[in-house]
């Protein structure tokens, strides 16, 4: 083929590695990758000399399917995902399946995230070959699911994969997925026969293969225990920061009975790290575990949870249920990107398992991402599997303070927002990985820039920041990247957040001051991801409107749904009131389909 790109024809396999990131980082990453390949006895390591050679290598990979057309009339493509640590064991096992079925096999796949594409060559005009190919596909599906994987990572569930949905979902989960589909397509007109097996269909694939790393759901349900009134008072007095807890409007019994209408739950006893798999970059943990404990365990394994460190006081379940934005979100993704699988106890008593502990999964609807930010309305989160990251060699933070306009110019330049980038000729864009900009009543505004990566890269970027701060007359001081500022958690305050988007960041604080007036006690802006969080004091300013009301929320409602970060039922109701009726109705249907609660106040998941 003219797309061969000079790859050796007698090699058993070829691995294409591409690094991306800061210009200071990619050379070091590429060198480390090449060294790792040589240490693993790679016979040849070629580094692309220029963009032309880089594109030629990728063309060889992308045109591989076309080349198979020369080898056979037809190709049957599979699309399973397995934990990365299982690749070395499963590739020979799949080759054995091909030998046993007398089929030729060619595999091209995404090794970094474990997404396998075994391709069986055959001729569909021969019924016997078709039968053998279908048998091979079924064997591969079960092998991958038994290894902790899933049936599809990117190509979805069509007329072939639909028969294997029962390998990864039980009857309760499948019934819930059917109800979600009906919420959008009550008459079944949208691509019928795909995605989900027909109601009442037999299960040719057999019962679901549960993840080996998960604890039993019955144990989880038993440990989600009602909390006494004395415990509630203690939690409120403590600010809720020492335990995983939530006011849920429900209580759980292991009998799978429907939950009572009112009550208080604590998931504090579900604090175990169930399984930490460093090679797969995933961890399974109880919902009551504290983020700081999880971060410490990850660090001991050489991994990293960008959500927080020693000062991250929330429970894992609370962090996910509230889906609070963080300063590292722009570089590593928000909480919705980190959650891979979860177990919940629904309000109708069902114990449901969603997702798998792998990096890619498009089998069914992505319920774990619905759980993130649902504030518990879909049920009580008992266990979660999260994505981890290799720990950067260096992590640092620099606090910036000084004259407000000059500080604002640098913050906007760091975020790549034109109004600020022009002031520094674009030299600051892309320097930082995390950025927060805070304003507290009676204090000057401050910003914290966070950096992560190879030590030399972090050192050079810190120098750029220090030099720019000095030239602008700002004070710059290196600080703890994990320290968490003290926040007002008194009953007299309420906090809400919204995501107006990066282009609205320059006017966010001005608009907040204008509308909230003296009630505004604190505001935090995350310019890289475009999030704003504001804390307001009750009883300050006009008395004829609630602290969180339409005047404050509507200016950004066209581009972002407001969320109450901390507040009472009336604050949550005010936030819902400014949302359009259409999205509220769709949300109501989905919540009902998954056995959730129509209205819930979870004391903001401290």
């Amino acid at each position: 083929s003219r797309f061969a790109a000079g790859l050796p024809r007698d090699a058993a396999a070829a691995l294409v590695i591409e690094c991306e990131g800061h210009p200071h980082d990619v050379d070091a990453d590429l060198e480390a990758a090449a060294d790792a390949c040589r240490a693993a006895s790679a016979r040849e390591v070629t580094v692309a000399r220029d963009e032309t050679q880089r594109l030629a290598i990728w063309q060889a990979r992308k045109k591989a399917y076309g080349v198979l057309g020369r080898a056979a009339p037809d190709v049957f493509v599979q699309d399973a995902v397995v934990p990365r640590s299982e690749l070395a064991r499963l590739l020979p096992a799949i080759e054995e399946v091909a030998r046993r079925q007398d089929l030729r096999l060619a595999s091209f796949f995404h090794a970094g995230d474990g997404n396998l594409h075994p391709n069986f060559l055959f001729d569909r005009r021969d019924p016997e070959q078709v039968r053998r190919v279908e048998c091979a596909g079924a064997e591969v599906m079960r092998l991958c699911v038994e290894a902790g994987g899933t049936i599809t990572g990117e190509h979805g569930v069509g007329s072939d994969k639909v028969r294997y949905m029962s390998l990864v979902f039980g009857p309760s989960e499948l019934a819930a997925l059917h109800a979600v589909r009906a919420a959008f397509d009550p008459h079944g007109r949208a691509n019928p026969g795909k995605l989900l097996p027909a109601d009442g269909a037999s299960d040719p694939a057999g019962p679901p293969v549960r993840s080996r790393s998960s604890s039993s759901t019955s144990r989880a349900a038993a440990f989600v225990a009602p909390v006494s009134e004395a415990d509630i008072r203690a939690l409120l007095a403590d600010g809720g920061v020492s335990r995983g807890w939530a006011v849920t409007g429900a209580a759980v019994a292991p009998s799978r009975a429907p939950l009572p209408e009112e009550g208080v739950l604590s998931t504090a006893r579900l604090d175990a790290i169930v399984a930490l798999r460093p090679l797969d970059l995933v961890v399974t943990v109880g919902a009551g575990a504290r983020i700081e404990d999880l971060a410490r365990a990850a660090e001991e394994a050489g991994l990293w949870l960008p959500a927080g460190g020693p000062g991250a006081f929330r429970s894992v379940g609370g962090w996910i249920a509230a889906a609070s934005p963080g300063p590292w979100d722009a570089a590593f993704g928000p909480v919705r990107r980190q959650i891979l699988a979860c177990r919940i106890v629904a309000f109708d008593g069902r114990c449901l398992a969603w997702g798998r502990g792998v990096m890619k999964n498009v089998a069914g609807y992505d319920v774990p991402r619905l759980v993130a930010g649902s504030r518990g309305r879909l049920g009580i989160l008992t266990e979660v599997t999260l994505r981890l990251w290799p720990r950067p060699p260096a992590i640092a933070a620099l606090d910036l303070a000084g004259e407000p306009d000059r500080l604002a110019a640098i913050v906007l330049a760091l975020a790549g927002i034109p109004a600020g980038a022009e002031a520094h000729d674009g030299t600051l864009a892309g320097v930082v990985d995390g950025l927060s900009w805070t304003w507290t009543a009676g204090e000057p505004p401050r910003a914290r820039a966070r950096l992560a990566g190879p030590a030399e890269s972090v050192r050079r970027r810190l120098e750029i920041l220090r030099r720019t701060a000095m030239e602008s007359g700002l004070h710059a001081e290196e600080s703890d990247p994990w320290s968490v500022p003290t926040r007002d958690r008194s009953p007299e305050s309420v906090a809400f957040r919204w995501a107006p988007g990066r282009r609205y960041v320059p006017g966010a604080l001005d608009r907040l001051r204008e509308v909230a007036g003296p009630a505004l006690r604190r505001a935090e802006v995350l310019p890289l991801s475009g999030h704003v969080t504001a804390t307001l004091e009750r009883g300050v300013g006009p008395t004829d409107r609630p602290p969180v009301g339409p005047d404050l929320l509507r200016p950004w409602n066209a581009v972002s749904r407001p969320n109450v970060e901390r507040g009472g039922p009336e604050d949550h109701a005010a936030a819902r009131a400014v949302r359009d009726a259409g999205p509220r109705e769709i949300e109501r249907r989905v919540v009902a389909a998954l056995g959730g609660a129509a209205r819930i106040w979870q004391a903001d998941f401290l």
Side-chain angles (χ1 to χ4, degrees), residues 42 51 53 88 123 133 141 156 239 309 329 333 339 414 416-417 594:
E51 182 70 2
Q53 189 177 11
D123 186 341
V133 161
M141 286 293 97
D329 288 2
I339 180 171
L414 288 169
I417 296 173
L594 293 172

Side-chain angles (χ1 to χ4, degrees), residues 473-521:
L474 300 177
H475 176 70
E477 180 180 359
E478 199 160 343
S479 62
D480 178 4
W482 298 120
S483 64
V484 176
T486 302
R487 294 177 178 173
D488 182 3
R489 302 188 178 280
S490 69
E492 288 73 35
S493 69
V494 57
F496 75 95
R497 72 173 191 264
W498 75 102
R502 288 157 54 94
R503 66 190 179 99
Y504 287 92
V505 163
L509 282 178
D510 290 338
R511 180 61 178 160
L512 274 172
R513 293 192 189 103
E514 174 190 343
V515 177
L520 181 62
R521 308 307 303 161

Side-chain angles (χ1 to χ4, degrees), residues 77-308:
V77 183
Q78 277 294 13
D79 172 40
V81 187
V82 299
R84 296 161 6 130
S85 60
E86 294 289 337
L87 283 173
R89 181 180 68 85
L90 283 173
L91 289 175
I94 293 172
E95 290 174 358
E96 176 57 32
V97 169
R99 282 193 291 269
R100 191 164 55 251
Q101 296 295 342
D102 191 23
L103 294 168
R104 296 171 67 191
L105 173 70
S107 293
F108 342 113
F109 56 92
H110 316 283
D113 49 31
N115 191 182
L116 282 167
H117 295 317
N119 305 288
F120 296 100
L121 306 180
F122 74 111
D123 186 341
R124 73 175 63 198
R125 295 169 296 185
D126 182 347
E128 174 58 20
Q129 289 191 45
V130 173
R131 184 194 67 79
R132 296 202 307 270
V133 161
E134 291 183 344
C135 289
E139 287 189 65
V140 168
M141 286 293 97
R142 180 161 283 277
L143 278 173
C144 292
V145 174
E146 287 176 347
T150 189
I151 62 174
T152 176
E154 58 189 10
H155 293 298
V157 176
S159 54
D160 174 62
K161 290 279 174 54
V162 72
R163 74 185 84 176
Y164 305 121
M165 284 288 280
S166 61
L167 285 176
V168 290
F169 293 111
S172 295
E173 287 89 359
L174 287 173
L177 293 178
H178 274 289
V180 170
R181 182 170 190 159
F184 293 92
D185 180 28
H187 303 293
R189 294 170 178 163
N191 209 8
K194 309 294 174 63
L195 184 66
L196 297 172
D199 283 325
S202 59
D203 296 333
V209 179
R210 292 305 188 193
S211 172
R212 297 167 300 168
S213 64
S214 295
S215 60
S216 70
T217 307
S218 59
R219 172 186 173 276
F223 275 112
V224 180
V227 180
S228 68
E229 183 176 351
D231 287 334
I232 298 170
R233 293 184 182 278
L235 288 165
L236 291 173
D238 184 42
V241 300
S242 65
R243 316 181 198 186
W245 70 287
V247 178
T248 64
V252 172
S255 64
R256 299 197 178 198
L259 308 183
E261 293 183 358
E262 295 182 353
V264 180
L265 297 180
S266 171
T267 57
R269 295 175 68 186
L270 291 171
D271 60 353
I273 294 178
V274 179
L276 177 60
R277 301 182 351 236
L279 291 179
D280 297 320
L281 301 179
V282 299
V283 62
T284 300
V285 64
R290 287 164 57 111
I291 290 179
E292 62 176 353
D293 295 332
L294 175 56
R296 190 177 299 111
E299 185 164 352
E300 290 173 356
L303 301 177
W304 192 37
L305 179 70

